Amino acid sequence: MPGFELFGDREREQVQDVLDSGVLMRYGFDGMRNGHWKAKELEAALSAKMKSKHVHLLSSGTAALTVALASAGVGAGDEVIMPTFTFVASFESILALGAIPILVDIDDTLTLDPSAVEKAITPRTKVVMPVHMCGSMANLEVLQQICDQHDLLLLEDACQAIGGSYKGKPLGSIGDLGCFSFDYVKTITCGEGGAVITNTKAYYENAHKYSDHGHDHVGHDRGAETHPFLGYNFRISELNAAVGLAQLDRLDEFIALQKKSYTILREALSQVPEISFRKVPDGGEENYSFLSFFLPSEAIAQQAHKALGEAGIDACFYWYNNNWHYYRKWEHLSQLESLGKLPQEVIEGLPDYSKADFSASDHWVGRTISCLIKLGWTEAEIRERAKKIAEILKKTI
Ligand SMILES: *Cc1c(COP(=O)(O)O)cnc(C)c1O
């Protein structure tokens, strides 16, 4: 998955443009910048690539999620449905607005289970936030139907799935809002960065203002701009955007490389009859950043993961015991360990997750191993690796 593996001359050239003018900020300084508007250029390029009318870049994927929710009017006491298997950024962005993260089970897609989503809807629900973990997507058609029926917003967290698609549309572009991360370990990177995409002009207008202290961005004098509502600073810098421009140009190349290695690995593991692969919804195409598969039991999965590590096979993940990606280790959330006092709405509204039953999620995640697909592997390396992984799995099972 990591675009940093192929950082090179194109990235350097883009960054050099910014260094040459010395304008590191995305707004203003029109006369000094030698015509370079890296953030604006990257927004235009992403808009074309994601077939989405509006794009706004931000300082991170977490900022993108926060700004996406804020731009749609989510605030204190609103409930946002999110999966048990994701990254902590999901609930961080919700809590940052005083809204309440409602954790919901996943299914064999390793993303939100639509029937569990339906059961979790209350009069306070505002948003359903599927997270397209490890390169593959939720059943967006069914989730969209549920959202339409209950008048909810669909926000796709596509931070780990850029370049994937569903029924011919880029992931991230299907819901009311979509978010990407360009942090250092994502498929394409800006060093740090993120983006919100949407076809709804009002959300875009809110997003660019909210993420820049409420600036209305009218005219050419920042100091004279007005502030229609309260905002914050989630701006991306021109240096980061410049790296992203070079990387976005290479997205198709990265996905093709991943697909090739993924296919070799998948073919090798298909020879192990006891394992099955993560379900990809009909009409979905992954971005091939991971190959995720199910072992026959939690105990065998734990043994297999251990055996892979001992054999020196790096980058295979067992999420069930992971501190950052699965609800079981999120005591700081269930205990609300915050530095300062949280909004009363959160204190009163957060379900008691220490007592929650997510056995349906445990059933899948307890048996899952995900192998990262690196860009730098040669065909010989991936073939050797695939052979070794298959042998280890056969021995363990
Ligand atoms: C990386 C990631 C984020 C957050 O992105 P940052 O740019 O690191 O803030 C959010 N959601 C998911 C699923 C991610 O993988």
Side-chain angles (χ1 to χ4, degrees), residues 17-29:
D17 283 346
V18 179
L19 293 176
D20 288 346
S21 71
V23 180
L24 312 187
M25 186 175 177
R26 67 159 300 170
Y27 295 115
F29 303 93

Side-chain angles (χ1 to χ4, degrees), residues 40-50 55 245 248-249:
K40 276 189 209 285
E41 272 181 57
L42 180 52
E43 284 165 354
L46 268 169
S47 169
K49 188 82 191 159
M50 297 305 154
V55 176
L245 264 174
L248 182 63
D249 245 2

Side-chain angles (χ1 to χ4, degrees), residues 16-280:
Q16 196 60 50
D17 283 346
V18 179
L19 293 176
D20 288 346
S21 71
V23 180
L24 312 187
M25 186 175 177
R26 67 159 300 170
Y27 295 115
F29 303 93
D30 301 24
M32 282 168 65
R33 54 197 315 145
N34 297 334
H36 294 311
W37 297 89
K38 299 300 181 185
K40 276 189 209 285
E41 272 181 57
L42 180 52
E43 284 165 354
L46 268 169
S47 169
K49 188 82 191 159
M50 297 305 154
K51 302 188 174 76
S52 207
K53 277 192 207 148
H54 309 287
V55 176
H56 191 64
L57 287 172
L58 297 147
S59 52
S60 71
T62 312
L65 292 168
T66 309
V67 170
L69 291 168
S71 74
V74 171
D78 292 334
E79 292 181 355
V80 179
I81 289 177
M82 58 163 275
T84 52
F85 175 46
T86 175
F87 179 53
V88 290
S90 302
F91 60 76
E92 288 169 350
S93 60
I94 298 166
L95 290 170
L97 298 168
I100 300 167
I102 300 298
L103 270 56
V104 159
D105 272 321
I106 56 133
D107 59 20
D108 56 352
T109 64
L110 296 180
T111 66
L112 277 181
D113 172 1
S115 61
V117 168
E118 220 158 9
K119 283 187 205 127
I121 294 170
T122 75
R124 291 176 298 283
T125 310
K126 277 272 182 75
V127 179
V128 176
M129 186 161 89
V131 183
H132 305 318
M133 284 298 280
C134 303
S136 184
M137 76 293 315
N139 189 332
L140 289 166
E141 195 168 276
V142 178
L143 290 177
Q144 185 70 71
Q145 281 165 7
I146 293 170
C147 286
D148 290 347
Q149 205 179 334
H150 296 269
D151 200 17
L152 305 174
L153 294 173
L154 184 64
L155 191 174
E156 294 175 77
D157 178 342
C159 290
Q160 292 195 11
I162 194 167
S165 64
Y166 181 74
K167 307 212 166 174
K169 292 182 180 164
L171 292 178
S173 73
I174 295 145
D176 299 280
L177 293 141
C179 291
F180 297 112
S181 163
F182 307 119
D183 79 21
Y184 191 55
V185 295
K186 295 303 201 280
T187 305
I188 55 173
T189 184
C190 291
E192 298 283 2
V196 176
I197 69 175
T198 183
N199 285 316
T200 305
K201 186 152 193 262
Y203 298 155
Y204 166 71
E205 287 295 327
N206 288 343
H208 73 75
K209 292 170 190 154
Y210 181 75
S211 57
D212 185 24
H213 306 290
H215 270 273
D216 63 11
H217 300 137
V218 174
H220 292 275
D221 178 359
R222 271 180 73 75
E225 289 176 13
T226 66
H227 30 66
F229 50 75
L230 296 168
Y232 211 77
N233 179 2
F234 291 116
R235 290 190 308 256
I236 193 166
S237 85
E238 284 286 276
L239 288 168
N240 295 98
V243 176
L245 264 174
Q247 290 256 306
L248 182 63
D249 245 2
R250 309 176 75 180
L251 178 62
D252 293 343
E253 172 196 340
F254 291 178
I255 302 294
L257 282 172
Q258 288 179 173
K259 185 172 184 176
K260 197 169 164 206
S261 295
Y262 170 108
T263 305
I264 292 169
L265 185 57
R266 185 163 174 140
E267 273 165 15
L269 299 198
S270 300
Q271 308 304 313
V272 187
E274 294 87 352
I275 72 164
S276 56
F277 295 98
R278 168 223 201 130
K279 182 175 175 191
V280 178

